[in-house]
Amino acid sequence: MIDKSIKIQRTESVLRELIPEALCTLHDELLRGVCVVDVECSRGKYDAIVYLDGSVYDEKEKSYILSHLERVKRHIQTHCMQTEGWFRCPNFRFRFDDSLERYTKMDALFAKVEEELKKGTKSDD
């Protein structure tokens, strides 16, 4: 596991709270409903990858959200700087986190395999 400094971890934690706050100030209903899953800052805190929950959006909505987040990125950075009193804010890159979707699919597969195994043992009796 990568050993992150406490300052970077604190910045990530603060951004996980501030970015959704900034999104709530927007007029776009779809962007206001976006859920921030995680934030990963680079070592120098110049860049940050913001992971979003994409499980409830189709591909067209995801594309719309990513393009519009790029447009309002400066507003989000300004909100974070003003709220925390920072002089600079990381450059945000937004991505959808599909790990939850993958886990759900894997759980469904395991449940199906378990069900088929139970059917197999019942017919053997």
Side-chain angles (χ1 to χ4, degrees):
M1 188 173 153
I2 299 172
D3 185 31
K4 291 185 180 181
S5 75
I6 292 174
K7 287 183 178 182
I8 290 177
Q9 289 177 7
R10 184 184 180 286
T11 301
E12 291 172 345
S13 176
V14 168
L15 289 173
R16 275 192 296 272
E17 293 177 23
L18 292 179
I19 294 170
E21 281 179 19
L23 292 175
C24 287
T25 65
L26 301 174
H27 296 291
D28 190 323
E29 193 69 34
L30 193 57
L31 293 182
R32 278 194 272 169
V34 172
C35 179
V36 175
V37 176
D38 197 15
V39 177
E40 286 183 8
C41 290
S42 65
R43 183 168 282 193
K45 295 192 278 185
Y46 292 106
D47 295 302
I49 300 173
V50 180
Y51 292 98
L52 311 168
D53 179 17
S55 61
V56 296
Y57 304 110
D58 61 27
E59 290 305 314
K60 187 177 178 182
E61 288 172 324
K62 287 180 181 181
S63 176
Y64 172 88
I65 289 168
L66 291 177
S67 68
H68 281 73
L69 283 174
E70 281 299 314
R71 292 180 188 173
V72 298
K73 179 176 12 182
R74 193 74 200 134
H75 168 77
I76 297 169
Q77 290 172 317
T78 302
H79 176 84
C80 294
M81 288 188 295
Q82 288 176 345
T83 303
E84 284 297 304
W86 294 342
F87 293 104
R88 69 179 163 89
C89 187
N91 181 39
F92 298 130
R93 289 181 289 151
F94 298 97
R95 295 190 181 149
F96 280 100
D97 182 14
D98 62 348
S99 61
L100 181 62
E101 200 172 307
R102 285 194 312 253
Y103 292 136
T104 305
K105 287 180 182 176
M106 287 179 61
D107 282 344
L109 281 173
F110 285 130
K112 187 176 180 180
V113 167
E114 183 180 8
E115 186 178 307
E116 288 180 11
L117 286 173
K118 285 180 182 178
K119 285 181 184 177
T121 56
K122 287 182 180 177
S123 62
D124 291 342
D125 291 340

